[in-house]
Amino acid sequence: MSLPATSHSHASRAPGLVIAAPASGSGKTVITLALLRAFARAGLDVASAKAGPDYIDPAFHAAASGRESVNLDAHAMRGALIDTLAGDQATGCDLLLVEGVMGLFDGAADGSGSTADLAARLELPVVLVVDAARQSHSAAALVRGFRDHRDDVHIAGVILNRVGSERHAAMLSGALAGVGMPVLGTVPRDTALALPERHLGLVQAGERDDLDAFLDSAATRIAASCDLAALRKVTGELAVPDRTSDAPSPKRLEPFGQRIAVARDVAFAFAYPHLLSGWRRAGAELSFFSPLADEAPCEEADAVYLPGGYPELHAARLAAAATFQQGMASAVQRGALIYGECGGYMTLGDVLVDAEGTHHRMLGLLPLTTSFASRRRHLGYRRLDGLSGAPFAGGFSAHEWHYASILHEGAAERLFQARDATGADLGALGLRAGTVMGSFCHLIDIA
């Protein structure tokens, strides 16, 4: 398939679209992935971003497009950081696709930070993915309501997903013609367009040996049912300030070391790309190691970062990883700062209880016992203020999303004072023992 050539310089900022939906589960992630791969196969250099704090979908984006994706969080990020990240993503490519989060107007507990807020800030048009499996003419009322709900959000068209038949498609298209809404795609109901899920979202991209074949298959199906040329015609230009190469970038979360060893594998995959790139821009040197492969952090590292992930699914392997354990102990002995988030925090503790109730010895660097057998969902944005000894000075925005429970916390200093998105006091959380520290919160930006 060939698409019209772009009229802009490849070094200029590409036009973009927001792919959103009326509700979670409408299929916007698979359609976004399929579009990324379909546009790439059609010869476009396509970039992507994910609205909100999701740390799983961007890895799928990167696999689909060949470019690293980035989070754009209208609640947790300062506007200047959103503008910079979006502008950087859209520079030097042909097209930027931004995948929304939840329903178009759904945000944090205080109502802020929705996909609609992000689209309005960037002034990008929205393509609405409508799950049409259980409706026909009612889709017109749904789409009309979303179109007219906010004057600062422009819905440029819809992609009808999970359509049952040609007759069903004709009814839907006729109803939407009555409200003047372009139909940019009609995707048949297809079990092949599904990705497996677990408790925190999709099974990770790095765990799918067949991912490339899935993306190619999905792209073929979507290219046959969506008008790629029409999608390109409804794109818009990013409304973010032009920034010269010597203009200062907005201040970011500072690195907590000069040489930072970062755990990276399917048990520790939840590291935000903008944080790592921000640390590099600040002059930090990053190295990577795999605890699951029984690797130790770099011996020259003066800091070690254990991001979130799924240690509860790999607890036995982590408990048996002697080289990893010895390397972490050596890092503590030489005075390196050790920082863990969520799954990394659990790994720093004494014991992790898995879903079957089996107790696994962890690193024993914090007096903490956590359990995945006693599940309770913890979800929401957090506002954190670093307490004495915290690795980052000042206040931060963060996100918490896990099912683990704390069974025991021993004597140690607390790390953060926390509030939720509505400002309600959550008390002190996290632990610090000397240079070892962590919490269940994923840091996103400075407040």
Side-chain angles (χ1 to χ4, degrees):
M1 175 185 294
S2 61
L3 293 174
T6 56
S7 60
H8 64 282
S9 164
H10 199 62
S12 67
R13 191 176 288 155
L17 277 177
V18 175
I19 308 297
S24 295
S26 300
K28 63 180 177 292
T29 295
V30 171
I31 285 179
T32 299
L33 297 177
L35 288 174
L36 287 170
R37 178 57 65 92
F39 279 123
R41 293 199 316 190
L44 298 185
D45 189 352
V46 59
S48 64
K50 172 68 181 180
D54 187 296
Y55 23 66
I56 296 176
D57 289 355
F60 281 92
H61 289 189
S65 69
R67 277 177 168 259
E68 186 174 68
S69 186
V70 69
N71 295 84
L72 302 175
D73 196 314
H75 175 85
M77 289 179 176
R78 293 160 296 142
L81 181 58
I82 291 174
D83 292 347
T84 297
L85 294 173
D88 288 348
Q89 283 297 100
T91 299
C93 63
D94 298 310
L95 178 65
L96 173 67
L97 294 184
V98 180
E99 182 194 348
V101 61
M102 301 185 292
L104 176 59
F105 300 110
D106 300 326
D110 64 353
S112 67
S114 66
T115 301
D117 289 342
L118 179 65
R121 178 176 187 88
L122 300 178
E123 295 185 14
L124 287 181
V126 173
V127 171
L128 200 65
V129 176
V130 176
D131 181 356
R134 293 176 176 85
Q135 59 184 318
S136 57
H137 297 87
S138 294
L142 174 75
V143 171
R144 181 193 289 115
F146 271 77
R147 181 194 64 192
D148 298 342
H149 188 64
R150 279 178 55 168
D151 292 338
D152 61 344
V153 176
H154 171 55
I155 297 179
V158 300
I159 294 175
L160 299 168
N161 195 25
R162 299 168 185 151
V163 176
S165 64
E166 291 185 6
R167 181 172 179 270
H168 186 201
M171 287 190 292
L172 290 162
S173 297
L176 290 168
V179 297
M181 180 59 65
V183 175
L184 302 173
T186 304
V187 182
R189 185 167 51 237
D190 190 342
T191 57
L193 292 174
L195 288 167
E197 300 185 23
R198 59 162 65 105
H199 53 283
L200 295 182
L202 297 176
V203 173
Q204 296 180 90
E207 299 178 68
R208 292 286 304 270
D209 293 335
D210 64 339
L211 181 57
D212 204 54
F214 170 83
L215 292 170
D216 276 336
S217 175
T220 297
R221 286 169 163 81
I222 293 301
S225 55
C226 293
D227 190 336
L228 301 187
L231 281 163
R232 290 202 67 200
K233 287 180 181 177
V234 300
T235 57
E237 297 295 328
L238 276 171
V240 299
D242 288 324
R243 186 167 61 85
T244 61
S245 58
D246 58 350
S249 297
K251 185 178 180 181
R252 301 198 194 185
L253 201 70
E254 295 182 355
F256 57 93
Q258 178 59 38
R259 295 182 177 88
I260 306 175
V262 180
R264 174 175 283 180
D265 54 34
V266 295
F268 301 95
F270 298 165
Y272 287 122
H274 75 276
L275 286 188
L276 301 184
S277 66
W279 292 346
R280 286 193 183 98
R281 291 189 181 199
E285 300 173 20
L286 303 188
S287 60
F288 297 90
F289 68 103
S290 169
L292 285 182
D294 198 16
E295 296 174 354
C298 173
E299 293 181 357
E300 287 74 39
D302 59 357
V304 180
Y305 174 41
L306 300 184
Y310 291 105
E312 67 271 15
L313 301 181
H314 308 278
R317 287 178 63 186
L318 293 172
T323 301
F324 165 56
Q325 295 173 17
Q326 293 166 6
M328 293 297 293
S330 296
V332 174
Q333 290 172 4
R334 66 175 179 267
L337 195 155
I338 314 296
Y339 180 69
E341 288 184 334
C342 200
Y345 180 49
M346 296 164 68
T347 306
L348 291 174
D350 293 320
V351 175
L352 192 163
V353 183
D354 67 20
E356 286 70 43
T358 303
H359 288 56
H360 302 275
R361 294 294 304 176
M362 292 290 102
L363 293 171
L365 302 179
L366 289 175
L368 174 70
T369 298
T370 55
S371 173
F372 195 65
S374 304
R375 298 192 195 187
R376 186 169 73 86
R377 190 176 78 159
H378 302 78
L379 172 64
Y381 285 104
R382 306 289 182 249
R383 295 289 177 175
L384 307 178
D385 290 302
L387 300 175
S388 177
F392 314 107
F396 318 97
S397 60
H399 189 258
E400 189 172 1
W401 177 214
H402 63 92
Y403 281 89
S405 298
I406 295 175
L407 299 185
H408 172 74
E409 287 180 314
E413 298 291 329
R414 292 292 189 169
L415 191 60
F416 298 117
Q417 190 69 30
R419 292 168 289 144
D420 70 11
T422 67
D425 186 9
L426 299 178
L429 51 77
L431 295 174
R432 181 179 69 85
T435 62
V436 182
M437 58 200 75
S439 80
F440 272 112
C441 297
H442 300 260
L443 299 182
I444 297 175
D445 194 12
I446 60 176

